[in-house]
Amino acid sequence: MDFDDTTDGELTGGEATTSGTPVRQIAVFLQNQVGTLLSIVKLLNRNHVVVLGISVQDSIDVTIVRMVVSDPDTVESLFMEKGIAYSTTDLLVVELQPGTDEKGLAECLQALLIAETNIHFIYPVLSRPNDRPALAMHVEDTEFGREVLGNNGFRVLLQEDLSR
């Protein structure tokens, strides 16, 4: 079902980020016990790592916590040292401009739809770079998604943009 009443898929303006380190998500697999997430966040805080975005998917046996952090290298080292199971993946973090007809959520999703690329998951970033909301998203091809969004005028943030 099509919820869009427009036919023009072209978006203009904005600025695409072209060089730097892609944002890397850390996914940690936690036992479904009270206080486990807090323990992880405190561990990161003690090591001067800030959680910039977070998504929690809970099931009966395990909880998957997806995080965008200020220093993914430090987190990987900590988790290896502590024996905490985790995985990493590159994400797109796209900056939105709320309150406008251009460069908002609908236009971002429209650009990816026109390009026929799938979004596997999406969640908001807690930190607001440039005082604008941002979304972390995993798409089937990160480089292609970056190109699509950049060509449609969206600013795709890099790790350096988030870790200032």
Side-chain angles (χ1 to χ4, degrees), residues 20-37:
T21 308
V23 174
R24 194 166 69 234
Q25 171 191 270
I26 307 288
V28 61
F29 309 96
L30 302 177
Q31 292 295 321
N32 193 351
Q33 297 174 343
V34 174
T36 308
L37 179 58

PDB file of all heavy atoms in Angstrom, residues 20-37:
ATOM      1  N   GLY A  20      35.880   9.446   5.979  1.00  0.00           N
ATOM      2  CA  GLY A  20      36.003   9.236   7.413  1.00  0.00           C
ATOM      3  C   GLY A  20      35.676   7.796   7.747  1.00  0.00           C
ATOM      4  O   GLY A  20      35.573   6.941   6.875  1.00  0.00           O
ATOM      5  N   THR A  21      35.489   7.532   9.026  1.00  0.00           N
ATOM      6  CA  THR A  21      35.223   6.188   9.513  1.00  0.00           C
ATOM      7  C   THR A  21      33.716   5.970   9.627  1.00  0.00           C
ATOM      8  O   THR A  21      33.026   6.759  10.275  1.00  0.00           O
ATOM      9  CB  THR A  21      35.862   6.011  10.912  1.00  0.00           C
ATOM     10  OG1 THR A  21      37.229   6.402  10.840  1.00  0.00           O
ATOM     11  CG2 THR A  21      35.739   4.583  11.384  1.00  0.00           C
ATOM     12  N   PRO A  22      33.192   4.902   9.021  1.00  0.00           N
ATOM     13  CA  PRO A  22      31.758   4.623   9.182  1.00  0.00           C
ATOM     14  C   PRO A  22      31.413   4.406  10.651  1.00  0.00           C
ATOM     15  O   PRO A  22      32.247   3.956  11.437  1.00  0.00           O
ATOM     16  CB  PRO A  22      31.549   3.328   8.393  1.00  0.00           C
ATOM     17  CG  PRO A  22      32.722   3.204   7.493  1.00  0.00           C
ATOM     18  CD  PRO A  22      33.858   3.907   8.182  1.00  0.00           C
ATOM     19  N   VAL A  23      30.199   4.710  11.015  1.00  0.00           N
ATOM     20  CA  VAL A  23      29.726   4.455  12.372  1.00  0.00           C
ATOM     21  C   VAL A  23      29.603   2.944  12.531  1.00  0.00           C
ATOM     22  O   VAL A  23      29.026   2.262  11.690  1.00  0.00           O
ATOM     23  CB  VAL A  23      28.371   5.146  12.626  1.00  0.00           C
ATOM     24  CG1 VAL A  23      27.820   4.761  13.995  1.00  0.00           C
ATOM     25  CG2 VAL A  23      28.515   6.661  12.503  1.00  0.00           C
ATOM     26  N   ARG A  24      30.175   2.443  13.609  1.00  0.00           N
ATOM     27  CA  ARG A  24      30.158   1.010  13.885  1.00  0.00           C
ATOM     28  C   ARG A  24      29.269   0.746  15.092  1.00  0.00           C
ATOM     29  O   ARG A  24      29.471   1.304  16.156  1.00  0.00           O
ATOM     30  CB  ARG A  24      31.583   0.523  14.133  1.00  0.00           C
ATOM     31  CG  ARG A  24      31.729  -0.971  14.110  1.00  0.00           C
ATOM     32  CD  ARG A  24      33.178  -1.411  14.026  1.00  0.00           C
ATOM     33  NE  ARG A  24      33.912  -1.123  15.244  1.00  0.00           N
ATOM     34  CZ  ARG A  24      35.052  -0.428  15.296  1.00  0.00           C
ATOM     35  NH1 ARG A  24      35.592   0.055  14.211  1.00  0.00           N
ATOM     36  NH2 ARG A  24      35.646  -0.221  16.441  1.00  0.00           N
ATOM     37  N   GLN A  25      28.298  -0.105  14.904  1.00  0.00           N
ATOM     38  CA  GLN A  25      27.408  -0.508  15.989  1.00  0.00           C
ATOM     39  C   GLN A  25      28.014  -1.684  16.735  1.00  0.00           C
ATOM     40  O   GLN A  25      28.616  -2.567  16.143  1.00  0.00           O
ATOM     41  CB  GLN A  25      26.058  -0.927  15.414  1.00  0.00           C
ATOM     42  CG  GLN A  25      25.146  -1.561  16.442  1.00  0.00           C
ATOM     43  CD  GLN A  25      23.953  -2.178  15.782  1.00  0.00           C
ATOM     44  OE1 GLN A  25      22.953  -1.524  15.610  1.00  0.00           O
ATOM     45  NE2 GLN A  25      24.059  -3.445  15.389  1.00  0.00           N
ATOM     46  N   ILE A  26      27.848  -1.660  18.045  1.00  0.00           N
ATOM     47  CA  ILE A  26      28.216  -2.802  18.884  1.00  0.00           C
ATOM     48  C   ILE A  26      26.909  -3.448  19.344  1.00  0.00           C
ATOM     49  O   ILE A  26      26.056  -2.789  19.930  1.00  0.00           O
ATOM     50  CB  ILE A  26      29.009  -2.351  20.144  1.00  0.00           C
ATOM     51  CG1 ILE A  26      30.204  -1.482  19.779  1.00  0.00           C
ATOM     52  CG2 ILE A  26      29.385  -3.557  20.989  1.00  0.00           C
ATOM     53  CD1 ILE A  26      31.352  -2.171  19.144  1.00  0.00           C
ATOM     54  N   ALA A  27      26.748  -4.730  19.053  1.00  0.00           N
ATOM     55  CA  ALA A  27      25.590  -5.479  19.543  1.00  0.00           C
ATOM     56  C   ALA A  27      26.100  -6.436  20.605  1.00  0.00           C
ATOM     57  O   ALA A  27      27.029  -7.205  20.367  1.00  0.00           O
ATOM     58  CB  ALA A  27      24.906  -6.244  18.421  1.00  0.00           C
ATOM     59  N   VAL A  28      25.518  -6.347  21.775  1.00  0.00           N
ATOM     60  CA  VAL A  28      25.946  -7.195  22.889  1.00  0.00           C
ATOM     61  C   VAL A  28      24.778  -8.096  23.274  1.00  0.00           C
ATOM     62  O   VAL A  28      23.620  -7.689  23.233  1.00  0.00           O
ATOM     63  CB  VAL A  28      26.459  -6.346  24.082  1.00  0.00           C
ATOM     64  CG1 VAL A  28      25.390  -5.444  24.628  1.00  0.00           C
ATOM     65  CG2 VAL A  28      27.034  -7.204  25.172  1.00  0.00           C
ATOM     66  N   PHE A  29      25.111  -9.326  23.598  1.00  0.00           N
ATOM     67  CA  PHE A  29      24.112 -10.331  23.939  1.00  0.00           C
ATOM     68  C   PHE A  29      24.145 -10.531  25.448  1.00  0.00           C
ATOM     69  O   PHE A  29      25.141 -10.988  25.999  1.00  0.00           O
ATOM     70  CB  PHE A  29      24.416 -11.632  23.195  1.00  0.00           C
ATOM     71  CG  PHE A  29      24.603 -11.398  21.720  1.00  0.00           C
ATOM     72  CD1 PHE A  29      25.879 -11.245  21.193  1.00  0.00           C
ATOM     73  CD2 PHE A  29      23.512 -11.275  20.884  1.00  0.00           C
ATOM     74  CE1 PHE A  29      26.063 -11.002  19.834  1.00  0.00           C
ATOM     75  CE2 PHE A  29      23.688 -11.024  19.525  1.00  0.00           C
ATOM     76  CZ  PHE A  29      24.956 -10.891  19.007  1.00  0.00           C
ATOM     77  N   LEU A  30      23.054 -10.155  26.114  1.00  0.00           N
ATOM     78  CA  LEU A  30      23.005 -10.170  27.575  1.00  0.00           C
ATOM     79  C   LEU A  30      22.003 -11.200  28.078  1.00  0.00           C
ATOM     80  O   LEU A  30      20.975 -11.447  27.445  1.00  0.00           O
ATOM     81  CB  LEU A  30      22.596  -8.792  28.095  1.00  0.00           C
ATOM     82  CG  LEU A  30      23.466  -7.606  27.697  1.00  0.00           C
ATOM     83  CD1 LEU A  30      22.871  -6.313  28.230  1.00  0.00           C
ATOM     84  CD2 LEU A  30      24.885  -7.798  28.193  1.00  0.00           C
ATOM     85  N   GLN A  31      22.303 -11.755  29.249  1.00  0.00           N
ATOM     86  CA  GLN A  31      21.333 -12.597  29.933  1.00  0.00           C
ATOM     87  C   GLN A  31      20.153 -11.714  30.332  1.00  0.00           C
ATOM     88  O   GLN A  31      20.326 -10.559  30.709  1.00  0.00           O
ATOM     89  CB  GLN A  31      21.950 -13.223  31.189  1.00  0.00           C
ATOM     90  CG  GLN A  31      23.024 -14.237  30.897  1.00  0.00           C
ATOM     91  CD  GLN A  31      22.477 -15.458  30.185  1.00  0.00           C
ATOM     92  OE1 GLN A  31      21.386 -15.937  30.483  1.00  0.00           O
ATOM     93  NE2 GLN A  31      23.234 -15.960  29.229  1.00  0.00           N
ATOM     94  N   ASN A  32      18.984 -12.273  30.252  1.00  0.00           N
ATOM     95  CA  ASN A  32      17.787 -11.521  30.588  1.00  0.00           C
ATOM     96  C   ASN A  32      17.628 -11.490  32.109  1.00  0.00           C
ATOM     97  O   ASN A  32      16.847 -12.233  32.685  1.00  0.00           O
ATOM     98  CB  ASN A  32      16.569 -12.157  29.916  1.00  0.00           C
ATOM     99  CG  ASN A  32      15.364 -11.258  29.958  1.00  0.00           C
ATOM    100  OD1 ASN A  32      15.377 -10.233  30.625  1.00  0.00           O
ATOM    101  ND2 ASN A  32      14.327 -11.640  29.255  1.00  0.00           N
ATOM    102  N   GLN A  33      18.434 -10.624  32.765  1.00  0.00           N
ATOM    103  CA  GLN A  33      18.403 -10.490  34.217  1.00  0.00           C
ATOM    104  C   GLN A  33      18.358  -9.009  34.585  1.00  0.00           C
ATOM    105  O   GLN A  33      18.940  -8.168  33.896  1.00  0.00           O
ATOM    106  CB  GLN A  33      19.657 -11.113  34.841  1.00  0.00           C
ATOM    107  CG  GLN A  33      19.787 -12.591  34.620  1.00  0.00           C
ATOM    108  CD  GLN A  33      21.111 -13.140  35.135  1.00  0.00           C
ATOM    109  OE1 GLN A  33      22.056 -12.420  35.374  1.00  0.00           O
ATOM    110  NE2 GLN A  33      21.162 -14.454  35.302  1.00  0.00           N
ATOM    111  N   VAL A  34      17.710  -8.720  35.673  1.00  0.00           N
ATOM    112  CA  VAL A  34      17.602  -7.356  36.160  1.00  0.00           C
ATOM    113  C   VAL A  34      18.998  -6.783  36.407  1.00  0.00           C
ATOM    114  O   VAL A  34      19.839  -7.422  37.036  1.00  0.00           O
ATOM    115  CB  VAL A  34      16.758  -7.314  37.464  1.00  0.00           C
ATOM    116  CG1 VAL A  34      16.761  -5.925  38.060  1.00  0.00           C
ATOM    117  CG2 VAL A  34      15.341  -7.791  37.200  1.00  0.00           C
ATOM    118  N   GLY A  35      19.248  -5.592  35.898  1.00  0.00           N
ATOM    119  CA  GLY A  35      20.490  -4.878  36.170  1.00  0.00           C
ATOM    120  C   GLY A  35      21.628  -5.149  35.202  1.00  0.00           C
ATOM    121  O   GLY A  35      22.674  -4.494  35.277  1.00  0.00           O
ATOM    122  N   THR A  36      21.456  -6.092  34.268  1.00  0.00           N
ATOM    123  CA  THR A  36      22.546  -6.422  33.348  1.00  0.00           C
ATOM    124  C   THR A  36      22.865  -5.254  32.418  1.00  0.00           C
ATOM    125  O   THR A  36      24.038  -4.933  32.201  1.00  0.00           O
ATOM    126  CB  THR A  36      22.192  -7.679  32.522  1.00  0.00           C
ATOM    127  OG1 THR A  36      21.804  -8.718  33.419  1.00  0.00           O
ATOM    128  CG2 THR A  36      23.371  -8.144  31.702  1.00  0.00           C
ATOM    129  N   LEU A  37      21.858  -4.620  31.877  1.00  0.00           N
ATOM    130  CA  LEU A  37      22.090  -3.469  30.994  1.00  0.00           C
ATOM    131  C   LEU A  37      22.778  -2.336  31.753  1.00  0.00           C
ATOM    132  O   LEU A  37      23.728  -1.724  31.251  1.00  0.00           O
ATOM    133  CB  LEU A  37      20.769  -2.987  30.380  1.00  0.00           C
ATOM    134  CG  LEU A  37      20.876  -1.766  29.463  1.00  0.00           C
ATOM    135  CD1 LEU A  37      21.828  -2.021  28.296  1.00  0.00           C
ATOM    136  CD2 LEU A  37      19.495  -1.377  28.949  1.00  0.00           C
TER     137      LEU A  37
END
